[in-house]
Amino acid sequence: MVQHYNIALLGATGSIGMQTLDIIRRMPERFTLVAAVAQSRWQELAAVAREFGARRVVIGDARYEQQLRDALADTDVEVLVGSEAIEYVASTDDVDMVVNALVGYAGLHPTLRAIESGKRIALANKETLVVAGDIVMAAARDKGIEILPIDSEHSAIKQCLEGEKRESVRNLIITCSGGSLRDVPRERLADVTPEEALQHPQWSMGAKITIDSATLVNKGFEVIEARWLFDMSPDNIKVVIHPQAIVHSMVEFKDGAVKAQLGNADMHTPISYALLYPDRALEANTPFSMLDYPMLTFSDVDREKYPALDIAYEVLRRGGTAPCIMNAANEVAVAAFLAKRCRLTDIVATIRYALDNATFVERPTIEDYDRVDAEVRTLAESYIGQLNY
Ligand code: NDP
Ligand code: MG
């Protein structure tokens, strides 16, 4: 008997969401889509609900409620609206697994609600762990729930750690393609346009994470994510540049052995690994051939060009609300950069400003995180507003 899961998919219309739907579509014996969530793309959401026969859908932005209701008027699909409803569909009794592919802080409360409700969790929304990894991991431990990472680096590390003892591990080595601006000299970063920064050489992803990859904020967030998922000290989490994006990450053991996980840069592999764990999908989109990649190269990160990576280590060591402050400032600044209201280099400047000015709480509760997140959004907006860009 194979295990079957009823899925609530949060962020169904996004990059990870649509690739998750590909997998669900191909494996009806393993998965049923019960609920789907989107923010604004109501037409796509209605189409998903119809194709998969979902029982309920949530649209985050209430402005699209009526269109969505009209589009599904001839079906039995229940239409819900807003953030409370997102948490609700992550917790109903008929759901076994929550796939969280929302972007940003909006993913945190639904993850917590899913944990409280005892759901299996496949987590793409790394911001959940960046902001509140302490609280989230403690809640998961209390409930005996494993959080299955969708992020390709963390999926790779999890695969390398299978069957190994925790005390044998020396370092986790996270690979980094370098993002869309890796060949752009540091002096030119201030003049980069959103269009240029959105052209990622290896991965086709949502806009926010593509910009985070260009600034290496994403890699910094992955260090924080790894700290929580694998309970590693920041000193034992390393980052190396690997432009080919074939080695998805590595684990270095104390005996000198290094295990790496390789494959095509295709998110279907880590998504299906999280969904099916401990099973694996029985076919790949495109089989990997080593002969297509006779040269795999590795180099150090240019810390001057990418200050965000060191800031991530710094906030991780500082703890408390520091990572939450970095995350909120980054969300506001990335949105401003995409809207051409600031320069790419203002993203890191906004993060630094917020870290210097926002309330720091050493042992935050979830209410503290909510409060600090809101405070930083206001701070970051006012900082960007006075930039005269
Ligand atoms: P996208 O922007 O492509 O998709 C985001 C999805 O979430 C969309 O369905 C969007 O709805 C929905 N959404 C966004 N905000 C809200 C909200 N406030 N309430 C309800 N729904 C919301 O993002 P990605 O798929 O690229 O990324 C998702 C997460 O996965 C991120 O945390 C990212 O860092 C992580 N990740 C992504 C990878 C990738 O390859 N894309 C790789 C590794 C991690 P709508 O479409 O209506 O706007
Ligand atoms: Mg990643």
Side-chain angles (χ1 to χ4, degrees), residues 184-244:
V184 173
R186 178 156 55 101
E187 309 73 59
R188 231 181 56 65
L189 287 181
D191 303 322
V192 159
T193 61
E195 292 75 17
E196 201 177 341
L198 283 170
Q199 298 299 322
H200 196 287
Q202 260 80 28
W203 302 96
S204 158
M205 309 181 286
K208 194 242 176 196
I209 185 177
T210 306
I211 301 305
D212 289 349
S213 301
T215 56
L216 258 62
V217 164
N218 180 57
K219 214 40 63 177
F221 283 179
E222 290 181 353
V223 169
I224 302 176
E225 190 185 3
R227 183 261 172 273
W228 294 114
L229 280 172
F230 306 113
D231 192 21
M232 285 297 279
S233 148
D235 298 338
N236 300 105
I237 306 172
K238 315 283 179 194
V239 175
V240 291
I241 299 283
H242 169 50
Q244 297 81 15

Coordinates of all heavy atoms in Angstrom, one line a residue, residues 184-244:
V184 N 28.2 40.9 -13.3 CA 28.2 42.4 -13.3 C 29.2 42.9 -12.2 O 29.1 42.4 -11.1 CB 26.7 42.8 -12.9 CG1 26.7 44.4 -12.7 CG2 25.8 42.4 -14.0
P185 N 30.1 43.8 -12.6 CA 31.0 44.3 -11.6 C 30.3 45.1 -10.5 O 29.3 45.7 -10.7 CB 32.0 45.2 -12.4 CG 31.3 45.4 -13.7 CD 30.3 44.4 -13.9
R186 N 30.9 45.0 -9.3 CA 30.4 45.7 -8.1 C 30.0 47.1 -8.4 O 28.9 47.6 -7.9 CB 31.4 45.6 -6.9 CG 30.9 46.2 -5.7 CD 31.6 45.6 -4.5 NE 33.0 45.7 -4.6 CZ 33.8 46.6 -4.0 NH1 33.3 47.5 -3.2 NH2 35.1 46.6 -4.1
E187 N 30.8 47.9 -9.1 CA 30.6 49.3 -9.3 C 29.3 49.5 -10.1 O 28.8 50.6 -10.1 CB 31.8 49.9 -10.1 CG 33.2 49.7 -9.6 CD 33.6 48.2 -9.8 OE1 33.7 47.8 -11.0 OE2 33.9 47.6 -8.8
R188 N 28.8 48.5 -10.8 CA 27.7 48.7 -11.7 C 26.4 48.3 -11.0 O 25.3 48.6 -11.5 CB 27.9 48.0 -13.0 CG 27.6 48.9 -14.2 CD 27.8 48.2 -15.5 NE 26.9 47.0 -15.8 CZ 25.6 47.0 -15.8 NH1 24.9 48.1 -15.7 NH2 25.0 45.9 -16.1
L189 N 26.5 47.7 -9.8 CA 25.3 47.2 -9.2 C 24.2 48.2 -8.9 O 23.0 48.0 -9.0 CB 25.6 46.5 -7.8 CG 26.3 45.1 -8.0 CD1 26.6 44.6 -6.6 CD2 25.5 44.1 -8.8
A190 N 24.6 49.5 -8.6 CA 23.7 50.5 -8.3 C 22.8 50.9 -9.5 O 21.7 51.5 -9.4 CB 24.4 51.8 -7.8
D191 N 23.3 50.6 -10.7 CA 22.6 51.0 -12.0 C 21.8 49.8 -12.6 O 21.2 50.0 -13.7 CB 23.6 51.5 -13.0 CG 24.3 52.7 -12.4 OD1 23.7 53.5 -11.7 OD2 25.6 52.7 -12.7
V192 N 21.8 48.7 -11.9 CA 21.1 47.5 -12.5 C 19.6 47.8 -12.5 O 19.0 48.3 -11.5 CB 21.5 46.3 -11.7 CG1 20.5 45.2 -11.9 CG2 22.9 45.8 -12.1
T193 N 18.9 47.4 -13.6 CA 17.4 47.5 -13.6 C 16.8 46.3 -13.1 O 17.4 45.2 -13.2 CB 17.0 47.8 -15.1 OG1 17.3 46.6 -15.9 CG2 17.6 49.0 -15.7
P194 N 15.5 46.4 -12.7 CA 14.7 45.1 -12.4 C 14.8 44.1 -13.5 O 14.9 42.9 -13.2 CB 13.3 45.6 -12.1 CG 13.5 47.1 -11.7 CD 14.7 47.6 -12.5
E195 N 14.6 44.6 -14.7 CA 14.6 43.6 -15.9 C 15.8 42.8 -15.9 O 15.8 41.6 -16.1 CB 14.4 44.4 -17.2 CG 13.1 45.1 -17.4 CD 12.9 46.4 -16.6 OE1 13.9 46.9 -16.1 OE2 11.7 46.8 -16.4
E196 N 17.0 43.5 -15.7 CA 18.3 42.8 -15.8 C 18.4 41.8 -14.6 O 18.8 40.7 -14.8 CB 19.4 43.9 -15.7 CG 20.7 43.5 -16.2 CD 21.7 44.7 -16.1 OE1 21.2 45.8 -16.0 OE2 22.9 44.4 -16.1
A197 N 18.0 42.3 -13.4 CA 18.2 41.4 -12.2 C 17.2 40.2 -12.2 O 17.4 39.2 -11.6 CB 17.9 42.3 -11.0
L198 N 16.1 40.3 -13.0 CA 15.1 39.2 -13.0 C 15.5 38.1 -14.0 O 14.9 37.1 -14.0 CB 13.8 39.8 -13.4 CG 13.0 40.5 -12.3 CD1 11.8 41.2 -12.8 CD2 12.6 39.6 -11.2
Q199 N 16.7 38.3 -14.7 CA 17.1 37.2 -15.6 C 18.0 36.2 -14.9 O 19.2 36.3 -15.0 CB 17.9 37.8 -16.8 CG 17.1 38.7 -17.7 CD 15.8 38.1 -18.3 OE1 15.9 36.9 -18.7 NE2 14.7 38.8 -18.4
H200 N 17.5 35.3 -14.2 CA 18.3 34.3 -13.5 C 18.9 33.3 -14.5 O 18.2 32.7 -15.3 CB 17.6 33.6 -12.4 CG 18.5 32.9 -11.4 ND1 19.2 31.7 -11.7 CD2 18.8 33.2 -10.1 CE1 19.9 31.4 -10.7 NE2 19.7 32.2 -9.7
P201 N 20.2 33.0 -14.4 CA 20.8 32.1 -15.4 C 20.4 30.7 -15.3 O 20.3 30.0 -16.3 CB 22.3 32.2 -15.2 CG 22.5 32.8 -13.8 CD 21.2 33.6 -13.5
Q202 N 20.0 30.2 -14.1 CA 19.7 28.8 -13.9 C 18.3 28.4 -13.6 O 17.8 27.4 -14.0 CB 20.6 28.2 -12.8 CG 21.8 27.4 -13.3 CD 22.9 28.3 -13.7 OE1 23.0 29.4 -13.1 NE2 23.7 27.9 -14.6
W203 N 17.7 29.3 -12.8 CA 16.3 28.9 -12.3 C 15.3 29.9 -12.7 O 15.6 31.1 -12.7 CB 16.4 28.9 -10.7 CG 17.4 28.0 -10.1 CD1 18.6 28.3 -9.6 CD2 17.2 26.6 -9.8 NE1 19.2 27.2 -9.1 CE2 18.4 26.2 -9.1 CE3 16.2 25.7 -10.0 CZ2 18.6 24.9 -8.7 CZ3 16.4 24.4 -9.5 CH2 17.6 24.0 -8.9
S204 N 14.1 29.4 -13.0 CA 13.0 30.4 -13.3 C 12.1 30.4 -12.1 O 11.5 29.4 -11.8 CB 12.3 29.9 -14.6 OG 11.0 30.4 -14.6
M205 N 12.1 31.5 -11.4 CA 11.4 31.5 -10.1 C 10.6 32.8 -10.0 O 10.6 33.6 -10.8 CB 12.5 31.6 -9.0 CG 13.6 30.5 -9.1 SD 14.8 30.6 -7.7 CE 15.7 32.0 -8.2
G206 N 9.8 32.9 -8.9 CA 9.1 34.1 -8.6 C 10.0 35.3 -8.5 O 11.2 35.2 -8.3
A207 N 9.4 36.5 -8.7 CA 10.2 37.8 -8.8 C 11.0 38.0 -7.5 O 12.2 38.4 -7.5 CB 9.3 39.0 -9.1
K208 N 10.4 37.8 -6.3 CA 11.0 38.2 -5.1 C 12.3 37.4 -4.9 O 13.3 37.9 -4.6 CB 10.0 38.0 -3.9 CG 10.5 38.7 -2.6 CD 10.7 37.7 -1.5 CE 11.3 38.4 -0.3 NZ 11.8 37.4 0.6
I209 N 12.2 36.1 -5.0 CA 13.3 35.2 -4.8 C 14.4 35.4 -5.9 O 15.6 35.3 -5.6 CB 13.0 33.7 -4.6 CG1 14.2 32.9 -4.2 CG2 12.3 33.1 -5.8 CD1 14.0 31.4 -4.0
T210 N 14.0 35.8 -7.0 CA 15.0 36.1 -8.1 C 15.8 37.3 -7.7 O 17.1 37.3 -7.9 CB 14.3 36.3 -9.5 OG1 13.5 35.1 -9.7 CG2 15.4 36.4 -10.6
I211 N 15.2 38.3 -7.2 CA 16.0 39.5 -6.7 C 16.8 39.1 -5.5 O 18.0 39.5 -5.4 CB 15.0 40.7 -6.4 CG1 14.2 41.1 -7.6 CG2 15.8 41.9 -5.8 CD1 15.0 41.4 -8.8
D212 N 16.2 38.3 -4.6 CA 17.0 37.9 -3.4 C 18.2 37.1 -3.8 O 19.2 37.1 -3.1 CB 16.1 37.0 -2.5 CG 15.1 37.8 -1.7 OD1 15.1 39.0 -1.7 OD2 14.2 37.1 -1.1
S213 N 18.1 36.4 -5.0 CA 19.3 35.6 -5.4 C 20.3 36.6 -6.0 O 21.5 36.3 -5.9 CB 18.8 34.6 -6.5 OG 17.9 33.7 -6.0
A214 N 19.9 37.7 -6.6 CA 20.8 38.6 -7.2 C 21.6 39.4 -6.1 O 22.8 39.7 -6.3 CB 20.1 39.6 -8.1
T215 N 21.0 39.6 -5.0 CA 21.7 40.3 -3.9 C 22.4 39.3 -2.9 O 23.1 39.8 -2.0 CB 20.7 41.1 -3.0 OG1 19.7 40.2 -2.6 CG2 20.0 42.2 -3.8
L216 N 22.1 38.0 -3.1 CA 22.6 37.0 -2.2 C 21.9 37.0 -0.8 O 22.2 36.3 0.1 CB 24.1 37.0 -2.0 CG 24.8 35.8 -2.8 CD1 24.6 36.0 -4.3 CD2 26.2 35.7 -2.4
V217 N 20.8 37.9 -0.7 CA 20.0 37.8 0.5 C 19.4 36.4 0.6 O 19.3 35.8 1.6 CB 18.8 38.8 0.4 CG1 17.7 38.5 1.4 CG2 19.3 40.2 0.7
N218 N 19.1 35.8 -0.6 CA 18.5 34.5 -0.6 C 19.5 33.5 0.0 O 19.1 32.6 0.8 CB 18.2 34.1 -2.0 CG 17.6 32.7 -2.1 OD1 16.6 32.3 -1.4 ND2 18.2 31.8 -2.9
K219 N 20.8 33.6 -0.3 CA 21.8 32.7 0.2 C 21.9 32.9 1.7 O 22.0 31.9 2.5 CB 23.1 32.9 -0.5 CG 23.9 31.6 -0.7 CD 23.2 30.4 -1.1 CE 22.5 30.4 -2.5 NZ 21.9 29.1 -2.8
G220 N 21.9 34.1 2.1 CA 21.9 34.4 3.6 C 20.7 33.7 4.3 O 20.8 33.1 5.3
F221 N 19.5 33.9 3.7 CA 18.3 33.3 4.2 C 18.5 31.7 4.3 O 18.0 31.1 5.2 CB 17.1 33.6 3.4 CG 16.6 35.0 3.7 CD1 15.5 35.5 3.0 CD2 17.2 35.9 4.6 CE1 15.0 36.8 3.3 CE2 16.7 37.2 4.9 CZ 15.6 37.6 4.2
E222 N 19.2 31.2 3.3 CA 19.3 29.7 3.3 C 20.3 29.3 4.4 O 20.1 28.2 4.9 CB 19.8 29.3 1.9 CG 18.7 29.5 0.8 CD 19.1 29.0 -0.6 OE1 20.2 28.7 -0.8 OE2 18.1 29.0 -1.4
V223 N 21.2 30.1 4.7 CA 22.1 29.8 5.9 C 21.3 29.7 7.1 O 21.4 28.8 7.9 CB 23.3 30.8 6.0 CG1 24.0 30.6 7.3 CG2 24.2 30.7 4.8
I224 N 20.4 30.7 7.3 CA 19.5 30.8 8.5 C 18.6 29.5 8.5 O 18.4 28.9 9.5 CB 18.7 32.1 8.5 CG1 19.7 33.3 8.5 CG2 17.8 32.1 9.7 CD1 19.1 34.7 8.5
E225 N 18.0 29.3 7.3 CA 17.1 28.1 7.2 C 17.8 26.8 7.5 O 17.3 26.0 8.3 CB 16.6 28.1 5.7 CG 15.5 27.1 5.4 CD 15.2 27.1 3.9 OE1 15.9 27.7 3.1 OE2 14.3 26.3 3.5
A226 N 19.1 26.7 7.1 CA 19.8 25.5 7.4 C 20.1 25.4 8.9 O 20.1 24.3 9.5 CB 21.1 25.4 6.6
R227 N 20.4 26.5 9.5 CA 20.7 26.5 10.9 C 19.5 25.9 11.7 O 19.7 25.1 12.6 CB 20.9 27.9 11.4 CG 21.3 28.1 12.9 CD 20.1 28.4 13.7 NE 20.3 28.4 15.1 CZ 20.2 27.3 15.9 NH1 19.9 26.1 15.4 NH2 20.4 27.3 17.2
W228 N 18.3 26.2 11.3 CA 17.1 25.7 12.0 C 16.7 24.3 11.6 O 16.5 23.4 12.5 CB 15.9 26.7 11.8 CG 16.2 28.0 12.5 CD1 16.3 29.2 11.9 CD2 16.4 28.2 13.9 NE1 16.6 30.2 12.8 CE2 16.7 29.6 14.0 CE3 16.4 27.4 15.0 CZ2 16.9 30.2 15.3 CZ3 16.6 28.0 16.3 CH2 16.9 29.4 16.4
L229 N 16.7 24.0 10.3 CA 16.3 22.7 9.8 C 17.2 21.6 10.3 O 16.8 20.5 10.7 CB 16.3 22.7 8.3 CG 15.2 23.3 7.6 CD1 15.5 23.3 6.1 CD2 13.9 22.5 7.8
F230 N 18.6 21.9 10.4 CA 19.5 20.8 10.7 C 20.2 21.1 12.0 O 21.2 20.4 12.4 CB 20.5 20.7 9.5 CG 19.9 20.5 8.2 CD1 19.9 21.5 7.2 CD2 19.1 19.4 8.0 CE1 19.3 21.3 6.0 CE2 18.5 19.2 6.7 CZ 18.6 20.2 5.8
D231 N 19.8 22.1 12.8 CA 20.3 22.4 14.1 C 21.8 22.5 14.1 O 22.5 21.9 14.9 CB 19.8 21.3 15.1 CG 20.1 21.7 16.5 OD1 20.2 22.9 16.8 OD2 20.2 20.8 17.4
M232 N 22.3 23.3 13.2 CA 23.8 23.5 13.0 C 24.1 24.9 13.5 O 23.4 25.8 13.3 CB 24.2 23.4 11.6 CG 24.2 22.0 11.0 SD 25.4 20.9 11.8 CE 26.9 21.4 10.9
S233 N 25.3 25.0 14.0 CA 25.8 26.3 14.4 C 26.2 27.1 13.1 O 26.7 26.5 12.2 CB 27.1 26.1 15.3 OG 28.0 27.2 15.1
P234 N 26.0 28.4 13.1 CA 26.3 29.2 11.9 C 27.8 29.0 11.5 O 28.1 29.1 10.3 CB 26.1 30.6 12.3 CG 25.3 30.6 13.6 CD 25.3 29.2 14.2
D235 N 28.7 28.8 12.5 CA 30.1 28.6 12.1 C 30.3 27.3 11.2 O 31.4 27.2 10.6 CB 30.9 28.4 13.4 CG 30.9 29.6 14.3 OD1 30.6 30.7 13.8 OD2 31.1 29.4 15.5
N236 N 29.4 26.4 11.3 CA 29.5 25.2 10.5 C 28.7 25.1 9.3 O 28.4 24.1 8.7 CB 29.3 24.0 11.4 CG 30.2 23.9 12.6 OD1 29.9 24.2 13.7 ND2 31.5 23.6 12.3
I237 N 28.2 26.3 8.8 CA 27.5 26.4 7.6 C 28.2 27.3 6.6 O 28.5 28.5 6.9 CB 26.0 27.0 7.8 CG1 25.3 26.1 8.9 CG2 25.2 27.0 6.5 CD1 24.0 26.7 9.3
K238 N 28.7 26.8 5.5 CA 29.5 27.5 4.6 C 28.8 27.7 3.3 O 27.9 27.0 3.0 CB 30.8 26.7 4.3 CG 31.5 26.1 5.5 CD 32.3 27.1 6.3 CE 32.9 26.4 7.5 NZ 33.4 27.4 8.5
V239 N 29.2 28.7 2.5 CA 28.6 29.0 1.2 C 29.7 29.0 0.2 O 30.8 29.6 0.4 CB 27.9 30.3 1.2 CG1 27.4 30.7 -0.2 CG2 26.7 30.3 2.2
V240 N 29.5 28.3 -0.9 CA 30.5 28.4 -2.1 C 29.7 28.7 -3.3 O 28.6 28.3 -3.5 CB 31.3 27.1 -2.3 CG1 32.3 26.8 -1.2 CG2 30.4 25.9 -2.6
I241 N 30.4 29.5 -4.2 CA 29.8 29.8 -5.5 C 30.1 28.6 -6.4 O 31.2 28.1 -6.5 CB 30.5 31.1 -6.1 CG1 30.3 32.3 -5.2 CG2 30.0 31.3 -7.5 CD1 28.9 32.9 -5.3
H242 N 29.0 28.2 -7.1 CA 29.1 27.1 -8.0 C 28.1 27.4 -9.2 O 27.0 27.2 -9.2 CB 28.6 25.8 -7.3 CG 28.4 24.7 -8.2 ND1 29.3 24.2 -9.1 CD2 27.3 23.8 -8.3 CE1 28.8 23.2 -9.8 NE2 27.6 22.9 -9.3
P243 N 28.7 28.1 -10.2 CA 27.9 28.7 -11.3 C 27.0 27.7 -12.1 O 26.0 28.0 -12.6 CB 28.9 29.4 -12.2 CG 30.2 29.4 -11.5 CD 30.2 28.4 -10.4
Q244 N 27.5 26.4 -12.2 CA 26.7 25.5 -13.0 C 25.4 25.0 -12.4 O 24.5 24.5 -13.0 CB 27.6 24.3 -13.3 CG 28.8 24.6 -14.1 CD 30.0 25.1 -13.3 OE1 30.0 25.0 -12.1 NE2 31.0 25.7 -14.0

